[in-house]
Amino acid sequence: MMLDKAKEVEDFIIKIRRQIHENPELSGEEYETQATILSELEKLDLEIEKVGNTSIIARLVGEKPGKTVALRADMDALPIIEQADIDFKSKNQGVMHACGHDAHASMLLGAAKILSTMKKDIKGEIRFFFQEGEENFSGAKKIIAAGGMEGVDGCFGMHGLPGMDAGYAHIESGYVLTGCDTIFVKFEGVSGHGSAPHLAKDTIHPACMFVTDIQSIVTKNVDPQEPIVVTVGKFNGGTKPNIISKFTDIEMSMRYFDPEARKTVHEAIIRHAKAIADAYEISVDVQIEESTLSLRNDEDMTELAEKTCEKVMGQGKNVPMKRIMASEDMSYYMQHAKGVYINMGYRNVDKGAVYFPHHEKFKIDEDYMKYGAAMFAQFALDFLDSDL
């Protein structure tokens, strides 16, 4: 049973996780993390390649021909001052593994350790992606650019969440994570003296009108059954109280599941901004930057992952959970091969493992990691043995 194999390497997984947790590194700067993982991968019978800034692609080629499956874990930390009640706090002040990527990477390393002993039984190839820069959505693109997804038939990833206790998972088909865009809106008018607004073209008032107006796009242009979140996070205009502001800049974040709803909102934001600018006789420029795409689980891959879950954790351990409006660059791998992305529970009230990712007191129940490692390994074997 795969869980039994995971229990055999559980102490190793926990040790590596704590080592990475104590030495967190920001996106694209995971050099020590990469070195830690490489030192362990080099003990296994794998083909290893360093790509991007700090990412790793490790290949395990079985002795029997077959398909190729990619398993992915992220490994970057966040700019947060840690306040978790643990003995292995961050030694890098102001940087913290507050999203559990240390656990993800350690679980994948544990899976590699398990699978490397099963080479003669493996049909095809298993690729292990240890990915930098998930938090800034840069890492997946680097692995793909390096050829990591060439020839891959299916991919699999996971994330720990406090919505379930350790030993439970949430697996469902369809859209499970949102895409994310950053939208920059710049109004330009004519500066002037505050005592003579009729001789200038103010931009602050029209920009305020735009901010209050854009929520009507969500309520009036988008199907109410389709979740969309548009957030204005930055508003900057003016230099002094008695100067009419020539420029006002707005920065917005948008989250979505359905690409068609995304397109509708993009078009409406541009349309509304231009209409307001025209009404006040000023100009406006709208720039939309893609952060990451929405993530949609393939139906057949989801069904396979559900069977894997039952093998590893038993019946009734795949539990329902509300969708969250979070984003992940795992979605880019799924543009190249069908895939599935699952959530694993790390909640344990008695241990204080209750916080959602990105909290300064973030903490996991480390018991969950043996399940994660077993899921990585078992899914790889199940996919390679399947007709998918």
Side-chain angles (χ1 to χ4, degrees), residues 6 61 75 126 159 173 199 213 233 245 256 261 328 360 368:
V61 181
M75 58 186 191
I126 302 171
H159 204 297
S173 61
L199 300 178
D213 178 65
S245 178
Y256 67 93
E328 247 272 15
E360 64 269 15
Y368 111 86

Side-chain angles (χ1 to χ4, degrees), residues 196-341:
H198 61 294
L199 300 178
K201 298 295 181 186
D202 179 37
T203 57
I204 290 180
H205 179 72
C208 289
M209 296 289 289
F210 173 74
V211 170
T212 59
D213 178 65
I214 56 175
Q215 294 307 322
S216 67
I217 296 171
V218 176
T219 59
K220 302 302 180 184
N221 292 109
V222 180
D223 183 338
Q225 300 296 317
E226 192 58 54
I228 291 282
V229 175
V230 179
T231 301
V232 176
K234 186 176 180 180
F235 187 106
N236 183 38
T239 56
K240 285 188 67 178
N242 65 344
I243 300 175
I244 303 295
S245 178
K246 180 175 181 177
F247 297 106
T248 297
D249 298 314
I250 297 168
E251 295 184 15
M252 307 154 56
S253 173
M254 178 182 134
R255 308 272 175 156
Y256 67 93
F257 287 110
D258 180 26
E260 286 302 313
R262 176 200 194 199
K263 181 181 178 183
T264 296
V265 175
H266 284 184
E267 292 173 347
I269 285 174
I270 294 169
R271 186 174 65 249
H272 282 231
K274 186 177 185 305
I276 289 172
D278 287 345
Y280 288 90
E281 301 178 290
I282 59 176
S283 63
V284 65
D285 178 67
V286 179
Q287 298 293 329
I288 301 174
E289 290 185 2
E290 174 186 287
S291 294
T292 190
L293 302 172
S294 54
L295 187 151
R296 186 183 185 280
N297 281 340
D298 177 83
E299 285 78 6
D300 292 333
M301 294 287 277
T302 301
E303 184 178 347
L304 182 64
E306 289 170 345
K307 293 177 181 176
T308 299
C309 177
E310 189 168 318
K311 289 180 184 178
V312 170
M313 291 182 277
Q315 292 185 345
K317 296 304 178 72
N318 179 21
V319 296
M321 188 184 81
K322 287 184 178 180
R323 291 193 297 180
I324 58 176
M325 301 297 287
S327 303
E328 247 272 15
D329 70 352
M330 177 77 190
S331 56
Y332 286 112
Y333 299 115
M334 295 184 181
Q335 304 302 304
H336 297 265
K338 56 192 172 187
V340 59
Y341 186 83

Side-chain angles (χ1 to χ4, degrees), residues 37 41 44-49 51 55-61 68-73 104-105 107-117 122 125-131 143 148 152 156 333 373 376-378 380-381 384:
I37 294 170
L41 290 174
L44 310 177
D45 186 17
L46 304 174
E47 301 172 12
I48 302 169
E49 179 184 5
V51 302
S55 296
I56 303 167
I57 299 174
R59 293 174 170 87
L60 173 59
V61 181
T68 298
V69 62
L71 308 176
R72 175 271 200 168
H104 302 166
M107 292 187 296
L108 184 58
L109 189 58
K113 194 175 181 71
I114 294 167
L115 291 167
S116 67
T117 67
I122 293 173
E125 179 184 337
I126 302 171
R127 293 185 193 171
F128 306 91
F129 295 163
F130 295 89
Q131 183 202 303
I143 287 180
V152 171
F156 176 83
Y333 299 115
F376 269 131
Q378 187 64 57
L381 296 179
L384 295 178

